[in-house]
Amino acid sequence: MTLSKRTPTSSVPPSAIWHAGMLAKGGARQCGSGRTAGSIYVEAGQPCGGIPVEQFLTDAPWSVDPDQIHITPMGVTLLEKDGVTHILDWVGSEHYEYPADFIEEARRMGVSRKIPVGTNLSGITPQSTIMLLHKRGSVRNARAVSAASSMLCPSGQHKRGEDCAGLHWVIPGQGGTTRRQLTCGTYEVTPLPPHAPDPEYVPAIFMVIPISALTIIRNHDGSISAQAQNAVERSGFMPVIVDL
């Protein structure tokens, strides 16, 4: 699948190899108790070259119609732009209710996303990125919600009343609560005041981050999945083998 010219890119160019080989942290995340044996994970190591996670947000988020570009919440989709293949991954809202949940986990642990071992990774190179999509990735009535909130722009370029990635941290229905609990810790949110309009969420790509490694998790007996190794060796990355 080919990306349109409107597809966002991160503010940090992924063309250099400064990030190559950096690994995300293992262990429990919002989506589960840990990684699974014999699986492949596409990673953006933490810290990704010491660059703040905010630099990889699409600001403002880029709303998409999943039906129009033929993507579903299951699995991953390979997309091509300017001759470079990228991995589009739909972040499930059953584990990450809001994009900020995923962003704050990535800040602490890096990005580590499981991909099917049968995925054709031959087009994945150090220039490739992971594009993260969430069903609450953008707010259709962003200007009204932003104007009614105490939103802070993560990149410092948007003001209240403008569409902005800062709305990921503006959470409705929290009452006086100003922190959200994650498996990896807590983070601060901005509750919407009672008079604010309800956000009208639409699916959007909220983060684009360079791929730093393709990691294979050893089987329980210490062996390496041949299918997983063959898949990764077709890419532009050397496989990184780690224990469960």
Side-chain angles (χ1 to χ4, degrees), residues 125-241:
T125 70
Q127 287 72 43
S128 300
T129 65
I130 314 168
M131 297 181 171
L132 287 311
L133 180 146
H134 194 283
K135 79 170 189 178
R136 296 188 177 97
S138 182
V139 180
R140 181 183 288 116
N141 56 338
R143 295 185 183 279
V145 174
S146 173
S149 74
S150 300
M151 180 201 75
L152 295 175
C153 176
S155 61
Q157 62 180 346
H158 295 119
K159 301 177 181 178
R160 288 175 56 185
E162 298 178 346
D163 191 6
C164 177
L167 289 175
H168 296 321
W169 287 267
V170 176
I171 307 297
Q174 293 293 301
T177 302
T178 58
R179 302 196 71 83
R180 278 181 64 81
Q181 180 69 53
L182 302 177
T183 301
C184 62
T186 66
Y187 73 93
E188 187 171 355
V189 297
T190 302
L192 271 173
H195 66 275
D198 292 331
E200 299 171 8
Y201 294 109
V202 294
I205 295 172
F206 65 93
M207 177 186 286
V208 179
I209 191 164
I211 295 171
S212 64
L214 291 174
T215 298
I216 301 173
I217 311 301
R218 290 185 189 273
N219 293 319
H220 292 287
D221 62 3
S223 64
I224 301 169
S225 165
Q227 185 180 10
Q229 187 163 3
N230 289 338
V232 175
E233 286 179 348
R234 296 183 65 190
S235 76
F237 285 86
M238 291 294 292
V240 176
I241 312 298

Side-chain angles (χ1 to χ4, degrees), residues 13-92:
S15 56
I17 59 171
W18 49 266
H19 57 282
M22 294 181 182
L23 302 181
K25 294 181 180 179
R29 292 176 179 250
Q30 290 299 108
C31 54
S33 59
R35 298 185 285 199
T36 57
S39 298
I40 301 172
Y41 288 81
V42 56
E43 299 193 357
Q46 188 280 336
C48 197
I51 297 173
V53 70
E54 284 81 4
Q55 294 296 314
F56 302 106
L57 302 182
T58 56
D59 194 9
W62 185 62
S63 59
V64 299
D65 182 344
D67 293 331
Q68 187 176 31
I69 58 176
H70 310 293
I71 58 174
T72 68
M74 301 299 293
V76 299
T77 303
L78 300 182
L79 302 176
E80 183 180 333
K81 179 178 173 60
D82 299 331
V84 178
T85 301
H86 305 274
I87 294 177
L88 174 61
D89 189 14
W90 190 314
V91 176

